[in-house]
Amino acid sequence: MTDYAKRSFWLETCSDDLTPRAPLTQSIDVDVAILGGGYTGLWTAYYLLCSNSDLKVAVLEKEIVGFGASGRNGGWCSSKFPVTPSVLQQRYGRDQARALMLAMNDTVDEVSRFCQVEGVDAHFHKGGILTLARGDHQLPMIQSSYEAYSGLGLGEQYELLGPEQVQERIKVTKVCGGLFARENASLHPARLVRGIARAIERRDGAIYERTEITGFKEGSAASLLTAGGEVRAKRALVLAGESYLSQLPRLHRVVLPIYSLITLTEPLTEQQWAAIGWQNRESVASCNYTVDYLTRTADGRILFGSRGAPYRIGSTISDDQELHPPTHAHIEDLVVEWFPVLKGIRFTHHWGGPVGMPRDWMPMVAFDPNTRIATARGYTGQGVSTTNLTGRIMAELISGKRTALCGLPIAERQSPLWEVEPLRWLAVRYMQDAFRRIDEAGKEGKPEPVDAGLARYVGRH
Ligand SMILES: Cc1cc2nc3c(=O)[nH]c(=O)nc-3n(C[C@H](O)[C@H](O)[C@H](O)COP(=O)(O)OP(=O)(O)OC[C@H]3O[C@@H](n4cnc5c(N)ncnc54)[C@H](O)[C@@H]3O)c2cc1C
């Protein structure tokens, strides 16, 4: 097993041997140069090449394709957007909020279409999302979420479920109700990201791995700088590094890296599955502020993910944060708390990675023809499908072949910058702690902490 395969179960089982492609060793001239071999960079390259087959496109990746969040995530390919429908409506109005939600639905189908057309077996399965109210305190969230979607005229895609209806789908403890959302899928993240890379190469796009971008120049001299040479770009430089963009001095405050951690069980036995149900393989979550997300993998394991690893001052990204024993141990406990029948189950994999959080939780995609800088980022842990949408929009913005997608509220916008340190650290650690306290109080049936309203207001999205 290569070291890269140890980064996640998905990289280990993606059926590639993960030998890095050749690095860049000399300066080159291209039309579009892309930093980052994750979904954002690769979808952009793919759609650019689909609509302009003679374009010269190069993707430069510091490690290997899928090294970042794209090869490590929870496998939710969902129409769920990082900003809730009610906040979207407040910020951009009903029509824009609805248009964005519909575009997200289409995006899930577009990922499926890509897999079929390009022959990528990414285990795509459209099982929907089941959001659970675990405790009465979570019922209002389910209800208001349903009302927000209904208010946008999308109610028929959602179904409010009583506790018995939930139990018919999946047997989880403490469930008081649920919301089923049809337009969602789950998939094998690394098979997808590696498959997009192959589709790009079939269209003569170039991918350089083990090639770190150390800086970039804008305007008529636009280029990405690496130790092996410069990549001069006639049309655009695409910065698609998501959380890792925070490590480039000029972009340090545009996104905040927050670690999301995952624990995976061994494959369950037939008896265990019979006791749990979950035959439709929905993606499952509760309404916890500390976030939990569950996937039933194609080979019959339970993937349980959660936030919780503490933010480190200076937006640090480091290998040692991928394994945080207290958080991983807590997730193992949660698996058994949700599914008591799994007491004694073996956990075979633990991993994690940084998600990129913008100051206003709103993803963005933009291209400035004067500086030639293009960027898409800020998915806050909901990028498997959203990156496909931003990748398509980015290709349209760069090629000038615009459709209605370029009018969506994620296009041609910027998020505010994060605060300077140590303010940033203080605020983020406060929010992480406040969300944990709110969840704990709810779980124990205690009144909410006195600062719950403040935390909800600051963290509203
Ligand atoms: C643990 C975890 C669970 C998640 N679960 C889900 C989920 O279930 N559903 C969902 O929708 N989203 C989920 N996400 C988020 C989703 O995976 C991301 O939003 C998405 O993968 C972002 O893709 P990207 O291409 O923008 O970034 P990345 O995949 O992070 O790619 C960025 C790439 O840029 C490279 N890079 C960085 N700096 C440089 C440099 N200087 N030079 C060259 N290359 C560089 C990195 O090595 C990396 O490969 C999860 C994320 C994590 C970490």
Side-chain angles (χ1 to χ4, degrees), residues 1 82-83 114 218 234 263 295 306 340 459:
M1 213 199 289
V83 181
F114 165 85
E218 308 179 359
K234 280 207 268 303
T263 288
T295 299
S306 179

Side-chain angles (χ1 to χ4, degrees), residues 35-41 60-64 66-70 72-76 211-213 240-242 244 248 260-262 293 352-355 379 381-385 387:
L35 177 160
Y39 299 136
T40 300
L60 296 105
E61 164 56 49
K62 185 173 162 211
E63 302 289 348
I64 58 163
F67 173 81
S70 302
R72 310 181 191 194
N73 59 69
W76 287 40
T211 302
E212 180 175 8
I213 311 299
E242 184 60 344
Y244 301 92
L248 290 172
S260 194
L261 302 186
I262 288 177
Y293 50 95
V355 305
Y379 311 103
Q382 306 209 12
V384 173
S385 49
T387 50

Side-chain angles (χ1 to χ4, degrees), residues 16-76:
D16 285 357
D17 71 1
L18 304 181
T19 305
R21 295 168 169 86
L24 185 79
T25 52
Q26 59 179 31
S27 294
I28 55 170
D29 292 283
V30 297
D31 296 304
V32 180
I34 300 177
L35 177 160
Y39 299 136
T40 300
L42 297 173
W43 284 128
T44 302
Y46 175 73
Y47 289 109
L48 275 170
L49 290 166
C50 286
S51 65
N52 312 259
S53 57
D54 49 358
L55 215 59
K56 273 186 91 175
V57 179
V59 178
L60 296 105
E61 164 56 49
K62 185 173 162 211
E63 302 289 348
I64 58 163
V65 159
F67 173 81
S70 302
R72 310 181 191 194
N73 59 69
W76 287 40

